[in-house]
Amino acid sequence: MTDQRPAPAPGAGLRERKKRRTRDALLRAALLLFIAQGYEETTVDEITDAVEVSQRTFFRYFANKEEVAFAVQDLVESHFVAALRSRPPAEGPFEAMRSAVLDAWDTIDEAISELVPLDLYMRSYRLIESTPALLAVHLRRSTELEEQTARLIAEREGLDVDADARPRVAVAAFTGVMRVTGRLWGQGEDTSVAAIRRMTEVYLDQIGPALAADWRRPA
């Protein structure tokens, strides 16, 4: 049987590439302005002026400044979820999450490099952690990711997430550590991926000892 689908219109690929370049340029300009002068102090006009496009063009790609601020974070979170989905079935829930987040940090540059430089993302992540308006959104989004992760863990283990509390409890402990490490890393002087990865690994490895019955006994 011959393929009856219409051939792509001439220039369609070129138009899509141009749209992507415009969106990426707006994203990079916005993040640079947010970091340089503050999220709340930056206007949409300043972002569009930096790219030499209209406000109408900006709103064609982004609903508002908040969406721009979290555009790369969306990709990073999707990268973690994909890493978790790819973990071997034989791994236990906590080991799968631990390995997935460390693998995600190890490959983050590859995941986002076509969109923004890694250093720009790391600085924008610190901005999120230090800006009250963005931090509130980040916490809400973290709750949504926590539920998504709990459902994925339940699926891996063949459990009903609404009947068995363990997936949500395990994920709550894991994401709590993620929030702590993100906050502490954001307050530190070392802004590298290696620093947040190292801190993440150390803190995750303390979950078991921290839940021990008696902290006064030597480890």
Side-chain angles (χ1 to χ4, degrees), residues 114-131:
E114 291 187 6
L115 193 59
V116 297
L118 179 58
D119 178 63
L120 180 55
Y121 165 67
M122 299 307 288
R123 286 187 288 160
S124 70
Y125 185 51
R126 285 173 70 95
L127 176 78
I128 289 171
E129 289 286 342
S130 62
T131 304

Side-chain angles (χ1 to χ4, degrees), residues 1-216:
M1 181 181 291
T2 58
D3 191 345
Q4 300 297 315
R5 292 175 298 179
L14 179 61
R15 285 195 297 272
E16 288 305 312
R17 288 195 296 273
K18 184 177 179 181
K19 288 179 180 178
R20 182 170 180 174
R21 284 196 299 269
T22 301
R23 183 185 185 278
D24 291 353
L26 285 165
L27 173 57
R28 286 190 289 268
L31 294 181
L32 286 169
L33 285 166
F34 293 160
I35 291 164
Q37 61 190 34
Y39 170 76
E40 294 176 338
E41 290 74 17
T42 300
T43 66
V44 171
D45 280 337
E46 288 175 314
I47 298 169
T48 56
D49 286 349
V51 185
E52 298 183 340
V53 297
S54 66
Q55 265 203 17
R56 182 177 180 181
T57 299
F58 175 89
F59 289 114
R60 188 179 300 153
Y61 298 103
F62 302 102
N64 46 46
K65 290 196 305 177
E66 178 186 302
E67 189 172 312
V68 185
F70 285 95
V72 185
Q73 188 64 22
D74 275 336
L75 185 58
V76 171
E77 290 170 2
S78 296
H79 186 52
F80 162 71
V81 171
L84 181 56
R85 288 187 184 279
S86 70
R87 297 309 305 169
E91 283 186 343
F94 183 75
E95 183 59 28
M97 289 187 288
R98 180 186 184 279
S99 297
V101 75
L102 296 179
D103 286 351
W105 279 126
D106 287 339
T107 56
I108 188 174
D109 193 12
E110 177 184 341
I112 69 171
S113 60
E114 291 187 6
L115 193 59
V116 297
L118 179 58
D119 178 63
L120 180 55
Y121 165 67
M122 299 307 288
R123 286 187 288 160
S124 70
Y125 185 51
R126 285 173 70 95
L127 176 78
I128 289 171
E129 289 286 342
S130 62
T131 304
L134 293 178
L135 183 57
V137 177
H138 186 45
L139 292 175
R140 185 199 73 215
R141 288 166 51 89
S142 295
T143 300
E144 294 167 357
L145 179 61
E146 185 175 307
E147 179 64 14
Q148 181 185 5
T149 305
R151 290 184 176 277
L152 178 53
I153 289 296
E155 179 184 320
R156 280 175 53 92
E157 299 299 312
L159 302 175
D160 179 351
V161 72
D162 295 317
D164 192 319
R166 288 175 295 174
R168 286 195 176 106
V169 171
V171 172
F174 173 81
T175 55
V177 171
M178 294 299 96
R179 285 194 289 271
V180 169
T181 55
R183 176 172 56 82
L184 294 177
W185 173 82
Q187 295 170 355
E189 295 182 0
D190 190 342
T191 63
S192 67
V193 172
I196 193 169
R197 187 199 186 280
R198 184 168 57 249
M199 186 178 292
T200 298
E201 187 171 21
V202 169
Y203 273 66
L204 284 175
D205 289 344
Q206 290 302 313
I207 287 183
L211 298 179
D214 186 355
W215 288 4
R216 297 176 184 178

